[in-house]
Amino acid sequence: QVQLVESGGGLVQPGGSLRLSCAASGSIFRNYPMGWYRQAPGKERELVAAITSGLTTYYASSVRGRFTISRDNAKSTLYLQMNSLKPEDTAVYYCNRQSVPSWDWGQGTQVTVSS
């Protein structure tokens, strides 16, 4: 199965920026749509952004205009540029294939937006 490793999270002040990375093992990364998901304590995991193999993108209303998803198929890596961060963006962020079946979830990377 594909292994997913998220990185780039941390503590940032409101209005700040972070760039998350997701490294995916395997050689078929380019074939699949990919997504960034987040989960806050006590809440369900939600899709925040997705990108197809043809580079069509989707953004949840809560992040549209602030986040940008991209991919580098040669490096089997997915990125999420997060700008104008808000406290409500605080969550553990995960990446995964954005189609069925999902790959095994990684450990995620914690993003905390706080003064």
Side-chain angles (χ1 to χ4, degrees):
Q1 185 74 302
V2 173
Q3 184 177 29
L4 301 167
V5 181
E6 300 92 347
S7 62
L11 175 64
V12 65
Q13 293 184 342
S17 297
L18 285 172
R19 191 191 193 207
L20 307 184
S21 297
C22 167
S25 66
S27 61
I28 59 174
F29 174 84
R30 68 178 73 250
N31 293 344
Y32 302 104
M34 295 293 297
W36 282 100
Y37 303 78
R38 67 186 182 189
Q39 186 169 27
K43 297 183 179 179
E44 293 187 355
R45 184 169 53 224
E46 63 174 340
L47 177 69
V48 299
I51 184 167
T52 70
S53 60
L55 304 184
T56 299
T57 57
Y58 160 84
Y59 298 96
S61 296
S62 58
V63 308
R64 190 174 297 125
R66 300 187 296 119
F67 291 9
T68 303
I69 189 171
S70 61
R71 65 193 297 163
D72 185 338
N73 290 336
K75 297 180 179 180
S76 295
T77 302
L78 184 73
Y79 302 98
L80 186 67
Q81 178 66 47
M82 305 188 297
N83 299 325
S84 302
L85 283 162
K86 303 175 180 180
E88 50 263 45
D89 295 319
T90 296
V92 178
Y93 283 71
Y94 303 88
C95 63
N96 213 322
R97 171 179 172 177
Q98 208 270 303
S99 61
V100 293
S102 296
W103 293 320
D104 290 343
W105 296 94
Q107 292 299 114
T109 186
Q110 177 72 51
V111 172
T112 302
V113 185
S114 176
S115 298

